[in-house]
Amino acid sequence: MLSRINTVSFRGIDTIKVTVEVQIARGLPSFSIVGLADKAVAESKERVRAALEALGLSLPSSRITVNLAPADVTKEGSYFDLPIALSLLCAMNILPSEELCHYTVMGELGLDGRIAPVSGVLPGAVAANSYDNGFICPSVQGSEALWSNNPNIIAAASLLDLINHFKGTSFIAPPELKTTPNTHVYLDLKDVKGQETAKRALEIAAAGGHNLLMIGPPGSGKSMLAARLPGILPPMTAEEILEVSMIHSVAGLLKDGSLITHRPFRDPHHSASMPALIGGGLKAKPGEVSLSHRGVLFLDELPEFQRATLEALRQPLETGKVTVARANVHTTYPARFQLVAAMNPCRCGYLGIKGHECSRAPKCALEYQAKLSGPLLDRIDLHVDVPSVLPYQLSRMQEGESSIDVAKRVATAVELQRLRYQGLPISRNAEADGPLLEKIAPLDKEAQTCLIQAAEQMNLSARGYHRILRVARTIADLEALEKINIYHIKEALSLRRILYKGSS
């Protein structure tokens, strides 16, 4: 007796179709799982055996072989429990195999037969839809699966419910879509007093999707500014919501069957390891760069991160994706995030502030800043100084613009970029490069002369030259101007790398 049930295996957020084959044949009683299964999958036979016994069913005294095809693809995770159990029940002629073969199945079994939630239900349901299959999943994740637009979803609470459903003795009601209102509260930019240059840089970064580095002493407001960037970013599109939610689903971070509707803001501690930041580990899970896809990755105390970890950021910053390489598999995750970094000018943090800086200034600043490589800094479009604001100045400063006002200008600039890049694989100025950038960033004669002179004096690389153009293009978009003038170029140049020197 042979039966087949469909499920999936994951490579990043991409899926590979897996067929669970069960054969019950003559021979000494045994239960074997083959097909490059990991430890969690190999243990499925014990969970399946216990779940069936809880229902009053016993395995036949025969040779049972479970094959997970294709056999050369590694199978990881506990969600193979349910497809193995259903395929086994079909082979035992308890369930109709001709009906179940048209479903893709995911779910972990408890020892009492209950179906527990698993990671990756959303991309699994999307894959099932592409195969023209129905989808069977845990009941608590039925709402999550519905976002795939799969019309045939069965969300079951237990193995017994599934048996009764397919035998026609009871009916599992279709899952209901949970639409959690977007109640995410963003911090307001008007809470930050002073720092007008930094606020302007934050607005440019939001409008063009540019990376930003803020340098200043402790307590100057760098973290406050970074936390307010999501509040001025444009809302996510439906496509971006699905992308972000699929990554979080694979990571097991989706809650209550709801999608991620606000832009992610991730701020890992500087002690984070390379697998935590870039992705990896035993099962090549997504790291912070992927969990912040279409959102903001804030790295505070940038030089305190491990050097190798920071250098690993160069690939995702340039390509918008990250590849986690292992001996047996290469896994690619999307990583189109906006990097916002903050750092002190030196280890003590008070370079140039009389009465506070250490005795090793400015040598300590040179050593501290040397922890960041030139190629990494070259990939950050905006570099801004965030000086200290004295207490007596705070009391005299008026309240600045609110995030709502700034977000309106940003939204207008983003819409201009959407129309400009329609039909292209990019959507923001920060993603434009090469001949395309020179085409969409026309300069008047005065601006062209200024940029060439600055490139020679600052010894800019080709990447640095293009990044000046990108930022100038965004500044012009904020003013709804098609042509870039000298003032746009000068402002873009003023936001390049800052070199700190000791006080004279």
Side-chain angles (χ1 to χ4, degrees):
M1 291 175 284
L2 179 67
S3 66
R4 293 182 177 88
I5 294 283
N6 297 317
T7 185
V8 294
S9 183
F10 294 104
R11 289 294 175 268
I13 62 171
D14 298 324
T15 56
I16 301 170
K17 189 175 183 179
V18 173
T19 303
V20 180
E21 300 177 319
V22 173
Q23 182 187 58
I24 300 178
R26 294 179 182 179
L28 294 174
S30 64
F31 192 162
S32 303
I33 298 179
V34 297
L36 213 56
D38 76 341
K39 183 70 171 175
V41 182
E43 292 173 346
S44 288
K45 60 184 179 183
E46 301 303 332
R47 291 190 292 272
V48 170
R49 190 195 306 273
L52 292 180
E53 287 181 357
L55 304 182
L57 299 172
S58 59
L59 295 177
S61 298
S62 305
R63 182 181 179 85
I64 301 172
T65 304
V66 178
N67 180 41
L68 307 177
D72 60 343
V73 174
T74 303
K75 319 302 187 304
E76 300 174 337
S78 59
Y79 60 86
F80 287 93
D81 291 3
L82 189 57
I84 290 173
L86 292 180
S87 189
L88 182 57
L89 290 170
C90 289
M92 295 166 61
N93 292 322
I94 294 175
L95 291 178
S97 59
E98 63 277 2
E99 186 175 354
L100 276 163
C101 68
H102 298 296
Y103 284 88
T104 296
V105 184
M106 293 179 68
E108 177 185 334
L109 285 176
L111 299 184
D112 58 355
R114 284 183 292 185
I115 303 174
V118 293
S119 302
V121 162
L122 179 57
V126 171
N129 204 16
S130 68
Y131 307 147
D132 290 326
N133 279 357
F135 188 68
I136 299 175
C137 66
S139 61
V140 295
Q141 294 178 295
S143 176
E144 178 182 337
L146 279 174
W147 293 104
S148 67
N149 291 324
N150 193 316
N152 187 9
I153 292 174
I154 299 175
S158 69
L159 185 58
L160 180 61
D161 290 345
L162 278 175
I163 293 173
N164 291 333
H165 177 84
F166 283 102
K167 289 182 75 68
T169 57
S170 67
F171 178 71
I172 298 175
E176 295 181 0
L177 191 65
K178 295 179 182 177
T179 53
T180 305
N182 189 1
T183 57
H184 189 78
V185 179
Y186 294 105
L187 298 174
D188 203 318
L189 203 56
K190 68 181 180 182
D191 298 334
V192 183
K193 290 190 175 182
Q195 307 298 7
E196 298 305 321
T197 302
K199 288 180 182 177
R200 173 64 173 171
L202 205 68
E203 180 180 342
I204 295 170
H210 303 286
N211 302 317
L212 171 66
L213 172 63
M214 296 180 284
I215 310 175
S220 58
K222 303 185 293 296
S223 298
M224 286 185 67
L225 287 161
R228 283 152 180 77
L229 177 57
I232 61 175
L233 291 172
M236 287 199 293
T237 64
E239 183 181 352
E240 289 174 338
I241 288 173
L242 189 60
E243 279 181 13
V244 172
S245 298
M246 286 174 71
I247 296 171
H248 282 70
S249 178
V250 169
L253 298 177
L254 277 191
K255 303 298 181 185
D256 302 324
S258 301
L259 300 190
I260 305 294
T261 56
H262 57 273
R263 294 193 181 274
F265 181 85
R266 308 288 298 189
D267 53 345
H269 191 260
H270 59 73
S271 61
S273 64
M274 187 184 296
L277 192 66
I278 305 301
L282 187 61
K283 296 183 179 180
K285 289 291 186 181
E288 295 291 339
V289 296
S290 297
L291 295 175
S292 58
H293 180 63
R294 301 298 181 187
V296 177
L297 176 64
F298 177 49
L299 301 183
D300 199 8
E301 305 295 345
L302 187 65
E304 300 296 338
F305 283 81
Q306 297 176 25
R307 178 69 178 263
T309 301
L310 290 180
E311 293 305 305
L313 287 172
R314 287 158 59 174
Q315 181 207 8
L317 283 174
E318 199 69 24
T319 63
K321 59 185 179 182
V322 62
T323 300
V324 180
R326 292 292 178 268
N328 58 342
V329 68
H330 284 56
T331 304
T332 300
Y333 288 105
R336 182 66 68 184
F337 60 93
Q338 211 170 331
L339 175 65
V340 177
M343 62 177 285
N344 297 327
C346 61
R347 184 170 293 279
C348 73
Y350 296 102
L351 181 71
I353 302 176
K354 292 182 179 180
H356 287 279
E357 65 181 2
C358 67
S359 59
R360 297 184 65 248
K363 186 178 180 181
C364 68
L366 298 175
E367 293 174 353
Y368 193 65
Q369 295 175 22
K371 292 183 176 183
L372 304 177
S373 69
L376 176 63
L377 290 173
D378 208 29
R379 285 168 167 79
I380 301 177
D381 295 350
L382 306 174
H383 302 241
V384 62
D385 184 13
V386 185
S388 294
V389 179
L390 298 177
Y392 79 89
Q393 294 174 320
L394 287 173
S395 60
R396 297 179 181 179
M397 288 179 179
Q398 294 182 348
E399 195 175 75
E401 275 189 300
S402 70
S403 292
I404 294 175
D405 296 330
V406 177
K408 289 177 182 177
R409 293 197 298 271
V410 169
T412 302
V414 170
E415 179 62 18
L416 287 174
Q417 294 167 57
R418 187 189 68 80
L419 296 173
R420 179 184 299 131
Y421 301 122
Q422 205 163 25
L424 297 174
I426 62 174
S427 59
R428 307 292 291 280
N429 288 334
E431 301 169 30
D433 211 345
L436 172 64
L437 183 61
E438 294 175 3
K439 182 180 178 181
I440 57 97
L443 303 172
D444 62 29
K445 188 174 181 181
E446 197 176 16
Q448 181 72 50
T449 303
C450 176
L451 180 57
I452 292 174
Q453 290 176 349
E456 292 175 351
Q457 291 174 6
M458 298 171 68
N459 197 24
L460 292 176
S461 65
R463 183 191 291 118
Y465 175 85
H466 283 146
R467 289 184 184 276
I468 295 293
L469 272 181
R470 290 178 186 178
V471 175
R473 175 69 273 168
T474 300
I475 296 170
D477 286 342
L478 283 168
E479 298 176 9
L481 296 177
E482 180 60 30
K483 205 159 193 177
I484 297 171
N485 60 42
I486 190 171
Y487 301 105
H488 303 144
I489 294 294
K490 286 184 176 181
E491 185 173 6
L493 288 168
S494 71
L495 295 171
R496 281 304 290 174
R497 187 177 180 183
I498 301 167
L499 298 178
Y500 282 85
K501 298 179 181 179
S503 56
S504 55

